[in-house]
Amino acid sequence: MKILSALLVPILLLSGCASVTVSNINSQEYLVQRRGDVISQGRLSDPTNTVLTALGLSDCENRMQYCINSVGDSSVTDNESKISALAEMWLFKAMRAQKDAQVLKDAGEFQDENKLNAELLNDYIQTAKYSYAYLFFSGRKISDRALEDRQTQVKDYYNFAVQNVIEQLYRATKGKALTDFPVREGKWNIYIKNPEQLSEHAETVKELIPDTVLSFKGLKNQYSADGLGARMVLSTDDPAKEKDQPWRLMPYSSVTAMISFPGKSLNQILTADDVVVSTYDPSFVQSVKIGKTVVPLSANFSGAYGLWLANSDFASNALSTIFGHGNIIDKPTVYLMRPYRKDLRTIILIHGLASSPEAWVNTANEIMGDKLLRDNYQIWQVYYPTNVPLLINRQEIAEAINKTIDHFDPSRTNQASKNITLIGHSMGGILTRLLVSDSGNTIINALEQKYPQASDKINQMDPKFKSILRFKPLQGVTTAIFLAAPHQGTPYADASWARYLASFVKLPLSIVNKLGEMTLMIFGQDLPREINMTGVDNLSAKDPTIRVLAKLPISRNVTYYSIIGRENADGPLEESSDGIVPYWSSHLEGAASEKVIVSGHSVQETPEAIIELRKILRNQLVDQNISQSTKAVKANR
């Protein structure tokens, strides 16, 4: 036996063989092993390690620059494997540098911020370059690799690198105007290409926020689209704040950023020192063409909206305004949730009492999360002082909407100015109905009947005041949707505690002056007590104003819908209520449809109401297409 062992040892040594063993792993470990990489696991992926092992390279995580140079000099690795490995290795180097710097910062030992930023900018540009080269110039087409994990990984390297390049570039060039580009940072010449969105906000940019750091409470869903490019939110100062105009853009907007490198071949791309930064508004541009390849753009459709609401003081201002405190709202403002598009239909949302655009947080987000609706509609939101009497609010909201439309489309020929949809909740539902109603002489006749002594003065009233009492439907509106709207008022407003709170309601000074001038013109010094009312008073079922307004006819050119809540599914519908508004007040004869949902007064936030809204809006598009097709057929006969 000893002789046999002695003979086997030299034989095994001479053969140079190695033993292979096998072990079982579960499916979760398999996926981690197969798809884990520098972004998801903080380690190099298996495809990259395969390249390094084949080249005899080891311990690369601790000597990354050496390994990068070695892989770059290699001539035995195929292009796809080599270039994708280099993309991940440059990314690893950048992420490791950031992590190490943070440790030093936390310990109070880090010194050279500028050196770090320059190093990170270089490493992330290198990552973007090799990722870009792999995706578009390494041999096969993107479509040939569509189902490969590696392509998905490299796409993520590219998007993550672009995000960080933009952040580093923003820090390095803050204060520079777009006209100062190109700029040279290290070895790179950096250009801005077609800066449509950046040029619009160039003087007011405050911050660039990557969507990877955003997480919202209160926003049920965050809608986005996968594709190429870094998804970011642009925070800007509001240039309209000091201007006398009734409309504003949200001070946050979605941006998708891309980086490209001049050249038509792999070698030209890899040797390029020019870096071209392109930014796109994803609500305008959904894809880009690189060479002969059309690729979808990555996009975030909820981030800007979420940041706007999270950083606004809407809720507190709306409530404090009612009682005359704080930053008082004294007139309506129309907020555009995305840059104006003349080819899209317009939806206008009008909130209720003591409320604000926050009332529509999930409603608006879910509408814009629906691709069909996002591609065909744009949303405007009206923010107004809800303590103001209904008739004055109707006039001022109509004026604000008309001025907004006239600014963008003076001739009223754009799609955005036609087939407008108004959606109102609670008090906003009453205002929505007034905006699509024809008053005729109904209100003036009611005033003359109640105050015959003032009849002559009413008829001789200044036109600016007479327009409060006599009005036409808002031009361009073809659809109205009422949610939990107390068209005939609500007994809830007459409760003793509600009347007590209402006694503290204060009107904005501008409205006090307007109302005072109007009533003085009609009644002189003998002002009837009941004339001195607020928007809160108007919600009472006993209020004479709401009784008159409930009689006004809705325009025949407007199709209208009702969405109504009822707290309890049991019992007769006619006796039900959403806790604030009874069914008999929300119900409107002649509605194209009436959807009753088991819900409290905030019915607009329920999934059932949002689904109903989406269905109505979708059906409008179908009806429009049918109508256009019919017109085309008739025109061709």
Side-chain angles (χ1 to χ4, degrees):
M1 195 64 168
K2 291 181 180 179
I3 297 173
L4 180 61
S5 299
L7 290 172
L8 285 174
V9 170
I11 292 173
L12 290 173
L13 290 173
L14 288 170
S15 68
C17 68
S19 61
V20 175
T21 61
V22 63
S23 61
N24 293 327
I25 60 173
N26 61 39
S27 57
Q28 186 174 1
E29 290 173 331
Y30 168 78
L31 289 175
V32 170
Q33 187 182 88
R34 181 177 176 83
R35 299 181 183 174
D37 63 4
V38 63
I39 293 178
S40 63
Q41 299 291 323
R43 61 171 177 80
L44 295 175
S45 66
D46 279 359
T48 295
N49 278 321
T50 298
V51 171
L52 298 177
T53 302
L55 294 176
L57 297 170
S58 61
D59 195 29
C60 284
E61 293 187 358
N62 294 314
R63 50 176 194 155
M64 187 55 71
Q65 190 61 61
Y66 171 79
C67 290
I68 286 173
N69 295 339
S70 299
V71 172
D73 293 337
S74 168
S75 60
V76 297
T77 310
D78 68 90
N79 279 338
E80 287 193 10
S81 299
K82 175 178 176 176
I83 295 169
S84 62
L86 286 168
E88 186 175 13
M89 294 166 74
W90 277 110
L91 181 55
F92 183 96
K93 182 173 181 291
M95 294 175 70
R96 172 65 67 85
Q98 276 186 310
K99 184 178 179 180
D100 291 346
Q102 190 59 52
V103 171
L104 292 174
K105 286 179 182 178
D106 293 341
E109 299 175 7
F110 187 77
Q111 299 294 327
D112 200 341
E113 186 76 37
N114 291 331
K115 182 179 178 182
L116 173 66
N117 291 341
E119 180 183 353
L120 290 177
L121 180 62
N122 175 72
D123 292 353
Y124 280 124
I125 289 176
Q126 295 282 14
T127 303
K129 175 192 278 192
Y130 281 99
S131 300
Y132 182 83
Y134 167 85
L135 291 170
F136 301 106
F137 294 92
S138 62
R140 290 186 294 162
K141 298 177 182 177
I142 284 182
S143 57
D144 295 334
R145 297 186 299 240
L147 300 180
E148 295 182 10
D149 292 338
R150 191 54 166 170
Q151 178 158 278
T152 302
Q153 288 177 322
V154 177
K155 180 206 73 174
D156 290 341
Y157 303 158
Y158 174 84
N159 289 351
F160 189 77
V162 171
Q163 169 192 307
N164 281 277
V165 168
I166 299 299
E167 288 186 281
Q168 297 300 324
L169 185 61
Y170 179 67
R171 292 191 185 99
T173 61
K174 195 169 184 179
K176 285 186 170 67
L178 292 175
T179 51
D180 293 337
F181 282 81
V183 297
R184 187 169 183 86
E185 295 292 329
K187 63 173 284 188
W188 307 105
N189 300 309
I190 301 173
Y191 298 80
I192 300 289
K193 178 183 178 183
N194 300 326
E196 294 91 349
Q197 188 165 17
L198 288 181
S199 61
E200 183 179 348
H201 301 290
E203 304 303 321
T204 60
V205 173
K206 293 195 299 183
E207 194 175 3
L208 282 167
I209 307 159
D211 83 334
T212 53
V213 304
L214 298 177
S215 179
F216 299 100
K217 289 183 179 179
L219 200 62
K220 292 177 182 176
N221 295 306
Q222 292 189 53
Y223 288 99
S224 60
D226 286 332
L228 207 61
R231 302 191 298 234
M232 311 189 82
V233 176
L234 194 70
S235 169
T236 64
D237 285 320
D238 185 356
K241 233 175 189 177
E242 307 304 324
K243 295 180 181 178
D244 185 23
Q245 65 184 39
W247 62 271
R248 293 181 193 168
L249 278 172
M250 285 196 315
Y252 295 91
S253 55
S254 294
V255 176
T256 300
M258 288 188 60
I259 290 176
S260 59
F261 303 87
K264 296 182 179 180
S265 69
L266 179 61
N267 184 60
Q268 289 175 342
I269 298 298
L270 295 181
T271 57
D273 292 332
D274 291 343
V275 181
V276 181
V277 178
S278 302
T279 60
Y280 304 91
D281 180 343
S283 64
F284 284 80
V285 184
Q286 297 180 2
S287 62
V288 293
K289 191 173 184 180
I290 300 175
K292 295 181 179 179
T293 305
V294 176
V295 292
L297 276 179
S298 179
N300 185 313
F301 303 111
S302 299
Y305 181 46
L307 280 170
W308 179 51
L309 294 181
N311 293 319
S312 75
D313 295 319
F314 286 141
S316 58
N317 286 347
L319 192 59
S320 62
T321 289
I322 285 186
F323 300 109
H325 301 296
N327 186 15
I328 294 174
I329 313 158
D330 61 356
K331 57 185 177 182
T333 300
V334 179
Y335 282 95
L336 279 63
M337 285 182 56
R338 62 200 283 191
Y340 177 80
R341 286 281 300 271
K342 67 179 183 179
D343 57 325
L344 299 185
R345 287 176 170 233
T346 303
I347 298 170
I348 302 177
L349 304 179
I350 306 177
H351 61 76
L353 177 68
S355 190
S356 71
E358 288 190 2
W360 301 108
V361 52
N362 287 300
T363 313
N365 187 50
E366 294 298 316
I367 290 173
M368 290 298 94
D370 183 323
K371 186 178 186 307
L372 178 65
L373 301 184
R374 185 173 64 246
D375 289 346
N376 287 277
Y377 291 96
Q378 58 197 332
I379 294 180
W380 300 357
Q381 296 207 38
V382 177
Y383 185 34
Y384 67 100
T386 61
N387 50 343
V388 173
L390 287 172
L391 284 171
I392 294 179
N393 253 334
R394 186 223 64 86
Q395 183 208 41
E396 296 200 338
I397 289 173
E399 183 179 350
I401 292 173
N402 279 323
K403 283 184 176 180
T404 303
I405 295 173
D406 288 340
H407 172 82
F408 292 105
D409 182 22
S411 63
R412 302 276 179 131
T413 56
N414 295 340
Q415 173 69 277
S417 307
K418 306 171 184 177
N419 302 308
I420 295 171
T421 297
L422 295 184
I423 304 177
H425 171 250
S426 192
M427 177 188 276
I430 301 175
L431 290 166
T432 293
R433 189 170 61 76
L434 294 179
L435 288 168
V436 295
S437 296
D438 189 336
S439 70
N441 290 317
T442 302
I443 301 171
I444 290 177
N445 290 343
L447 270 174
E448 291 177 338
Q449 186 175 354
K450 190 170 181 66
Y451 309 106
Q453 73 277 13
S455 179
D456 290 341
K457 292 182 179 178
I458 291 172
N459 285 304
Q460 296 169 11
M461 195 186 309
D462 189 305
K464 70 178 179 180
F465 294 123
K466 207 162 191 176
S467 64
I468 296 174
L469 305 176
R470 180 185 289 146
F471 47 83
K472 294 286 186 182
L474 192 65
Q475 183 183 347
V477 178
T478 56
T479 304
I481 306 174
F482 312 113
L483 296 102
H487 299 293
Q488 300 183 62
T490 171
Y492 191 83
D494 295 314
S496 57
W497 66 268
R499 298 311 310 158
Y500 175 74
L501 286 177
S503 68
F504 292 98
V505 172
K506 306 294 183 185
L507 290 173
L509 182 60
S510 61
I511 300 301
V512 171
N513 293 337
K514 188 172 188 176
L515 193 58
E517 186 180 350
M518 178 180 174
T519 53
L520 185 65
M521 187 179 297
I522 298 174
F523 300 105
Q525 300 297 327
D526 301 320
L527 179 66
R529 179 179 175 277
E530 63 268 26
I531 292 296
N532 189 22
M533 289 187 179
T534 67
V536 179
D537 295 312
N538 290 159
L539 294 180
S540 167
K542 298 176 182 178
D543 177 56
T545 301
I546 199 74
R547 290 181 175 181
V548 173
L549 298 183
K551 299 175 183 178
L552 300 183
I554 294 175
S555 169
R556 293 181 178 179
N557 297 322
V558 175
T559 303
Y560 56 95
Y561 305 81
S562 293
I563 298 176
I564 299 171
R566 59 180 298 177
E567 281 189 311
N568 197 325
D570 300 326
L573 176 63
E574 293 74 15
E575 298 175 13
S576 67
S577 166
D578 64 16
I580 301 290
V581 180
Y583 172 81
W584 56 261
S585 185
S586 288
H587 172 74
L588 273 183
E589 292 294 333
S593 71
E594 179 180 275
K595 180 75 172 179
V596 179
I597 296 167
V598 178
S599 165
H601 187 57
S602 296
V603 65
Q604 84 283 3
E605 283 288 280
T606 64
E608 295 86 353
I610 293 171
I611 289 171
E612 183 69 10
L613 287 172
R614 288 169 60 187
K615 184 173 76 173
I616 292 169
L617 295 170
R618 279 171 164 263
N619 287 342
Q620 283 183 346
L621 300 177
V622 173
D623 294 341
Q624 180 190 26
N625 289 335
I626 292 173
S627 175
Q628 289 178 343
S629 298
T630 302
K631 288 180 181 179
V633 169
K634 289 181 178 179
N636 291 327
R637 283 178 180 172

